[in-house]
Amino acid sequence: MASAERGSGPAETLFTAERMLGYLAELDDVLADEGVAEVLHLHVAGGAVIATKTDARLTSDVDVVSEAMTEQLRRAVVVVSERHPGLRRDWLNDGAKLQRVNLPMEPERIYTGSCLVVDSAGDRYVLAMKLASGRPIDEAE
């Protein structure tokens, strides 16, 4: 699912770390309700990681850089988005995994649920990804 996909309807939701963690908890509940067989372990990077470290950063998506985006997880992401007007249908996506860099990830745990565990990439990894992407929007970060 491309990270450029946008939902239709109200203005796109931007969220802080607190709101992102709430969406992850809701996603964990959806996965539990669907009887997910194994705990899914995601590694995330990008603006979502920056949002966990500063109130100055808002993001509209969570970039997964691991290989754990199963079809069941993608469907559960859509279920959560349908409950929140303005939340992107791909608010959790693996579009950024193509921007991975050759550095140790140095993960930090940001969420642990019953079906979902999420680690953020370390600061050096996130910075290297931002530099490699060359997007003007990232220059101020």
Side-chain angles (χ1 to χ4, degrees):
M1 186 175 295
S3 66
E5 180 181 326
R6 303 286 190 231
S8 60
E12 188 170 88
T13 298
L14 296 176
F15 47 93
T16 62
E18 182 179 342
R19 187 174 282 173
M20 174 186 63
L21 293 173
Y23 292 145
L24 290 173
E26 192 172 339
L27 180 62
D28 188 58
D29 290 342
V30 170
L31 291 168
D33 290 347
E34 292 182 357
V36 69
E38 296 181 18
V39 173
L40 299 173
H41 189 171
L42 306 177
H43 290 86
V44 300
V49 173
I50 296 169
T52 65
K53 299 174 185 298
T54 177
D55 292 337
R57 176 60 154 108
L58 298 175
T59 188
S60 63
D61 71 344
V62 179
D63 297 318
V64 175
V65 291
S66 57
E67 298 294 330
M69 288 293 295
T70 65
E71 285 307 310
Q72 187 175 24
L73 178 58
R74 290 179 199 280
R75 286 191 304 270
V77 167
V78 171
V79 168
V80 172
S81 74
E82 289 172 346
R83 296 176 179 174
H84 302 277
L87 184 60
R88 289 171 47 168
R89 291 177 57 83
D90 71 336
W91 65 268
L92 181 79
N93 67 78
D94 60 354
K97 74 180 181 181
L98 300 175
Q99 294 292 327
R100 286 188 287 208
V101 293
N102 192 19
L103 283 175
M105 195 169 290
E106 300 170 339
E108 300 171 21
R109 182 72 31 95
I110 61 170
Y111 178 81
T112 303
S114 61
C115 298
L116 186 65
V117 172
V118 182
D119 289 338
S120 72
D123 295 344
R124 291 177 348 129
Y125 191 90
V126 172
L127 177 60
M129 280 187 69
K130 291 289 185 183
L131 292 171
S133 73
R135 298 182 323 158
I137 193 171
D138 296 327
E139 290 178 10
E141 296 174 12

